[in-house]
Amino acid sequence: VASGGLAVHYLTRSGKGWKVSSSDLDAGARGPWGTAPDWSISTALHSSPVLYSSGSYSGMGVSCDHAVLTPLLSNGIGTKLELDTGYDDEMAERGPVTAITGKIANIVKGQSFDLVFSGEKKGRRFTATEKYVWQGRGWKLSGRSAGIDGC
């Protein structure tokens, strides 16, 4: 079964109706097993709306969570940012467990935010922070990755 997705279409008035002026058929995260991902639109991160979508994947005892931030700028879709927001290998039964979750925090609207991770990595307490800064049409990682296991 294919995963579900999100599309964004920008419309402009045209004569008696509307016309599609631009589209992105892969605008967000993928949902599991044919379902659409969870999504919301917010202006908490930027003055322009931002599509926040999230999904997950599980297989072979490993669960992974991810999110996509898609800036919806007045002149079209900005640069999408894909984030790993969680990892759990407890069901894989392969030694010390890694179970980490990441949350967006410390928002400076239109400028930056942190992705703050906490949990357990290979049986030891784990905390880390990734800082993302707005550059041009989207956010970029500033500095090093927190190094959580990804899928």
Side-chain angles (χ1 to χ4, degrees), residues 52 54-55 65-67 83-87 100-103 115 117 148:
Y52 176 91
S54 61
D65 299 322
H66 58 276
L83 301 169
D84 290 324
T85 56
Y87 179 91
I100 298 169
T101 57
K103 303 280 184 206
L115 187 57
F117 295 98
I148 73 163

Side-chain angles (χ1 to χ4, degrees), residues 59-137:
M60 305 294 289
V62 175
S63 294
C64 300
D65 299 322
H66 58 276
V68 177
L69 298 177
T70 307
L72 304 175
L73 306 175
S74 61
N75 59 351
I77 292 172
T79 305
K80 293 178 279 194
L81 174 64
E82 297 185 22
L83 301 169
D84 290 324
T85 56
Y87 179 91
D88 188 321
D89 66 4
E90 182 175 12
M91 299 304 290
E93 299 179 1
R94 58 180 180 207
V97 170
T98 296
I100 298 169
T101 57
K103 303 280 184 206
I104 292 175
N106 308 318
I107 298 168
V108 180
K109 189 173 183 171
Q111 296 179 32
S112 65
F113 68 87
D114 293 340
L115 187 57
V116 179
F117 295 98
S118 63
E120 202 173 312
K121 187 171 186 178
K122 302 199 184 319
R124 295 179 180 240
R125 177 141 175 72
F126 177 82
T127 59
T129 300
E130 292 177 346
K131 178 169 269 322
Y132 291 86
V133 296
W134 183 265
Q135 291 181 356
R137 297 179 55 82

Side-chain angles (χ1 to χ4, degrees), residues 8-94:
V8 171
H9 304 283
Y10 278 69
L11 306 174
T12 54
R13 267 204 196 276
S14 175
K16 296 179 184 176
W18 296 90
K19 169 179 116 175
V20 175
S21 57
S22 67
S23 292
D24 185 338
L25 300 179
D26 188 22
R30 292 280 176 196
W33 308 110
T35 63
D38 292 332
W39 65 275
S40 62
I41 295 177
S42 172
T43 55
L45 294 170
H46 197 271
S47 58
S48 293
V50 176
L51 170 64
Y52 176 91
S53 55
S54 61
S56 61
Y57 164 82
S58 294
M60 305 294 289
V62 175
S63 294
C64 300
D65 299 322
H66 58 276
V68 177
L69 298 177
T70 307
L72 304 175
L73 306 175
S74 61
N75 59 351
I77 292 172
T79 305
K80 293 178 279 194
L81 174 64
E82 297 185 22
L83 301 169
D84 290 324
T85 56
Y87 179 91
D88 188 321
D89 66 4
E90 182 175 12
M91 299 304 290
E93 299 179 1
R94 58 180 180 207

